[in-house]
Amino acid sequence: MFDLGLDGEHRYAEHVHDGRPRAFVYLDHPSSGGKKKRFATALTPEQLDRLRAGFAVTT
């Protein structure tokens, strides 16, 4: 819908929609093998900090 280019290699995207900033994170399906499906394992430390900062502003 937004053509963010998210996949197993590119897991984080920011986009402004209707004048509001949005953050999107691609997580593998919970039943797929491999590492645990958590933001901390899917994102770089910098991306995780940006996501946390965004939540802190909105709560």
Side-chain angles (χ1 to χ4, degrees), residues 4-13 23-29 32 35-39 41-43 47 51:
L4 299 171
L6 296 177
D7 59 24
E9 296 295 318
H10 302 94
R11 296 180 176 271
Y12 182 80
F24 297 87
V25 178
Y26 175 91
L27 296 174
D28 294 318
H29 191 276
S32 66
K35 59 187 172 185
K36 295 181 180 179
K37 311 323 180 257
R38 295 190 174 125
F39 289 119
T41 58
L43 302 174
Q47 292 169 335
L51 194 61

Side-chain angles (χ1 to χ4, degrees), residues 3-23:
D3 191 29
L4 299 171
L6 296 177
D7 59 24
E9 296 295 318
H10 302 94
R11 296 180 176 271
Y12 182 80
E14 292 182 359
H15 181 74
V16 176
H17 182 70
D18 288 337
R20 299 183 68 185
R22 307 284 184 187

